Amino acid sequence: MNPDVNDPRAERIVAPAPSGPPPERAPRVAVVGGGIAGLAAACGLAERGVDTVVFEREEGLGGRLRGWDTTLADGGTATMSRGFHAFFRQYYNLRGLLRRADPDLDSLVPLPDYPLVHRSGARDRFSGLPTTPPWNAFALAATSRSFPVSELAAVNLPAVLQFLDVDVPGVHDRLGHRSARDLLEVTRFPRTARHLAFEVFSRSFFAAPERLSAAEMAVMFHVYFLGSSEGLVFDVPRSPFPQALWNPLEGYLRRAGVGFRTAVRVERVTRGERLRHALTWRDVGRSRREEFDAVVLATDPRGLRALVADSPGLGTAAWRARVAGVASAPPFLVSRYWLDRPVRPHRQAFLATAGYPTLDNVSVLDRYEDQARAWAARTGGSVVELHAYALPEDHDPDLERKSLWEQATAVYPELAPAREVDSRHELRADCALFPPGGYRDRCTVTTPDPTLVVAGDHVRVDLPVALMEGAATTGLSAANALLSRWGTPGHDLWTVPRQGRGAVLRALARSFRQPGQRPEVRSR
């Protein structure tokens, strides 16, 4: 039994049966990308005896969760990263990957609460709720000020019930053509609840609600709230990402025989002379070439588009067109400040915000990360991080940094007089976008070439997974696809229930649907 599975209704996905003959020698596989998806694929392959090499363009592993050392103005050294990430308890496959190097997950520490605050002053939190659906939802509605009784009578019940009948991929057929914003308007939830309980989560997908598929929002609530009894409690690394996660996992993978080529750029994939594929990659100005039996493309959307465009012989025309259509989310900004004074003692380690122009959350790193805690103890200060998701494409970076700080001082007024000892600002635009109507055209793990597979959180697997768990799941799925072809058993996967938990509630939701009519537009 998976030690991370506490939900009795969680589902085990048995690895595909071996379909091909065992090879005469160990296959050789290139994994392009050293993020979660690539590391999961490499782990799945190496544990079955496959000769695996990971290619990563950055100096360190972890992808969007990598870290790097930086020297602060006071002479201290800190590990910078691209920001806070929550490791939810229902991330079964990701946690299983991390357990390879850290069996007890000692590198993670729980954060017991997930407070939300709106600019208007409205507040919500998820601590103290039952973990089992639908009682968690009923308790939230009954206790939250965001769901006033006077406004609940106007809620569109048929639309709301669709959140209780989520199945993948069926929900994308029913809701995927609309945006999350449209769905929120149709449900007629109280406006405060829309901002606090829905838009906050929508923007965690690095997109404004009008650019996110309604089906993705429904799946998200299924994964984190309405379909899983693991609850909304999550863990965070007690040390910076490299020290807590990637250095130990790299050590495990090296012992399993995985080779690593870091700080290199894969330029193209062509037909090999001896083996199926040849990778041309550049290292310190020199071009090199290596051949492999198979390739795993585990890059971010931008990297996938570029590599396939530069590899004209890869895949079919239809598949290449699908890759070219992989969408990237808008830019996001992470600003981290080392300050000369602490925030107030009652401040949570993580706070989600809504109603502000661009501020989406505030993290106080010295509440949970040992390196930041040591700096704060030594200096009497604090380490605070601000996130702004889904920025306008034409934003001014300097003005946005200033604006983000001003918004943060409105949330935590004690920040206003603080002196900045140092700061770092990471502006990126390499996350996946899940727009309305985009699910059917999304890349899948397998491709027209059985020796070429794709992994990443942008890849479709027809399971209720998202974000980091989506990356880990597709990485292991990519490994399984190759292993099956080589007559080798793969790795079982785990997922939250693949449909709504209650048969009665599912039947009630379906009773409101009329043939030929999509349910979310029907009136009460």
Side-chain angles (χ1 to χ4, degrees):
M1 184 67 179
N2 187 321
D4 291 302
V5 176
N6 296 300
D7 184 349
R9 297 194 184 184
E11 297 186 35
R12 186 175 191 164
I13 311 300
V14 177
S19 61
E24 296 180 357
R25 56 169 177 80
R28 192 161 193 257
V29 177
V31 177
V32 184
I36 292 174
L39 295 176
C43 182
L45 293 166
E47 288 180 343
R48 296 297 187 263
V50 176
D51 182 6
T52 307
V53 180
V54 174
F55 292 82
E56 169 54 46
R57 67 187 175 192
E58 304 289 353
E59 293 184 358
L61 302 175
R64 293 197 290 267
L65 272 73
R66 76 181 184 94
W68 59 95
D69 288 341
T70 185
T71 301
L72 303 178
D74 66 354
T77 300
T79 303
M80 184 58 189
S81 69
R82 294 171 51 175
F84 180 96
H85 280 73
F87 290 70
F88 285 88
R89 303 291 170 81
Q90 49 270 70
Y91 285 179
Y92 302 132
N93 300 312
L94 173 61
R95 294 169 77 93
L97 174 67
L98 298 177
R99 282 186 186 275
R100 260 71 169 198
D102 181 10
D104 297 323
L105 290 185
D106 292 329
S107 60
L108 299 181
V109 59
L111 291 191
D113 204 359
Y114 189 172
L116 316 175
V117 61
H118 191 270
R119 189 178 187 180
S120 66
R123 291 176 176 269
D124 246 325
R125 60 196 328 132
F126 293 103
S127 60
L129 295 178
T131 58
T132 303
W135 311 115
N136 53 1
F138 295 157
L140 177 64
T143 60
S144 170
R145 295 181 180 179
S146 301
F147 291 86
V149 175
S150 60
E151 295 184 36
L152 289 178
V155 168
N156 182 350
L157 183 60
V160 172
L161 285 172
Q162 304 315 308
F163 283 102
L164 301 175
D165 186 31
V166 170
D167 62 309
V168 179
V171 68
H172 292 276
D173 293 330
R174 299 192 300 275
L175 303 179
H177 65 293
R178 283 185 168 264
S179 73
R181 173 83 68 191
D182 291 340
L183 182 58
L184 293 180
E185 292 295 332
V186 170
T187 60
R188 298 199 293 271
F189 271 124
R191 186 161 297 278
T192 304
R194 292 183 221 173
H195 286 305
L196 283 178
F198 292 90
E199 292 195 22
V200 165
F201 283 104
S202 170
R203 292 181 65 85
S204 70
F205 274 73
F206 302 95
E210 56 270 17
R211 298 192 65 188
L212 178 69
S213 162
E216 292 293 344
M217 172 170 277
V219 170
M220 176 179 60
F221 271 86
H222 176 82
V223 169
Y224 299 108
F225 198 57
L226 297 174
S228 171
S229 66
E230 302 290 356
L232 275 170
V233 175
F234 57 75
D235 302 316
V236 293
R238 66 173 69 246
S239 301
F241 294 137
Q243 295 91 313
L245 308 176
W246 311 132
N247 294 346
L249 186 58
E250 179 184 357
Y252 171 84
L253 292 175
R254 285 189 182 276
R255 292 190 295 273
V258 176
F260 289 91
R261 314 267 194 274
T262 56
V264 303
R265 183 170 68 88
V266 177
E267 298 180 319
R268 69 186 65 88
V269 182
T270 56
R271 186 81 180 192
E273 297 176 0
R274 186 175 61 88
L275 303 182
R276 177 69 177 85
H277 299 283
L279 260 68
T280 301
W281 53 282
R282 185 166 293 276
D283 175 24
V284 196
R286 293 179 297 175
S287 184
R288 302 172 180 265
R289 187 175 182 275
E290 278 187 83
E291 295 196 1
F292 297 88
D293 294 289
V295 175
V296 181
L297 300 180
T299 69
D300 60 42
R302 181 178 57 187
L304 178 64
R305 293 193 304 266
L307 181 56
V308 171
D310 292 337
S311 307
L314 207 59
T316 63
W319 178 79
R320 294 173 62 81
R322 177 171 289 193
V323 170
V326 173
S328 293
F332 70 93
L333 174 64
V334 174
S335 289
R336 185 179 298 183
Y337 291 90
W338 288 261
L339 303 173
D340 70 340
R341 66 196 64 195
V343 297
R344 293 175 181 170
H346 69 279
R347 301 300 190 192
Q348 296 285 343
F350 178 82
L351 176 74
T353 62
Y356 292 88
T358 54
L359 179 67
D360 287 297
N361 57 62
V362 181
S363 304
V364 184
L365 272 70
D366 51 274
R367 294 284 192 266
Y368 63 90
E369 188 191 272
D370 54 10
Q371 186 186 85
R373 184 183 298 114
W375 186 89
R378 177 171 59 84
T379 64
S382 58
V383 185
V384 175
E385 186 176 275
L386 315 177
H387 286 202
Y389 304 137
L391 293 173
E393 299 287 350
D394 60 350
H395 75 280
D396 182 308
D398 292 333
L399 291 179
E400 182 55 43
R401 292 174 190 171
K402 180 180 178 182
S403 171
L404 195 61
W405 173 257
E406 292 172 348
Q407 294 169 64
T409 61
V411 180
Y412 289 176
E414 67 268 27
L415 295 179
R419 182 180 66 84
E420 175 188 319
V421 176
D422 210 339
S423 64
R424 296 291 184 274
H425 307 274
E426 289 294 317
L427 179 64
R428 304 296 178 109
D430 52 6
C431 296
L433 181 67
F434 306 103
Y439 189 78
R440 290 294 169 184
D441 292 329
R442 198 180 301 175
C443 287
T444 58
V445 168
T446 58
T447 75
D449 181 345
T451 64
L452 178 71
V453 290
V454 187
D457 61 1
H458 58 281
V459 175
R460 171 182 163 181
V461 285
D462 286 350
L463 291 173
V465 293
L467 302 174
M468 293 188 291
E469 179 68 352
T473 302
T474 57
L476 289 169
S477 297
N480 283 348
L482 296 176
L483 292 171
S484 174
R485 183 174 185 272
W486 293 324
T488 304
H491 303 265
D492 291 351
L493 303 174
W494 285 87
T495 179
V496 302
R498 285 181 283 182
Q499 61 179 358
R501 295 181 73 89
V504 173
L505 293 173
R506 293 199 307 269
L508 183 61
R510 293 171 188 179
S511 72
F512 283 103
R513 299 177 195 158
Q514 297 174 354
Q517 185 177 26
R518 281 171 165 150
E520 75 276 13
V521 298
R522 186 181 171 190
S523 300
R524 287 192 305 122

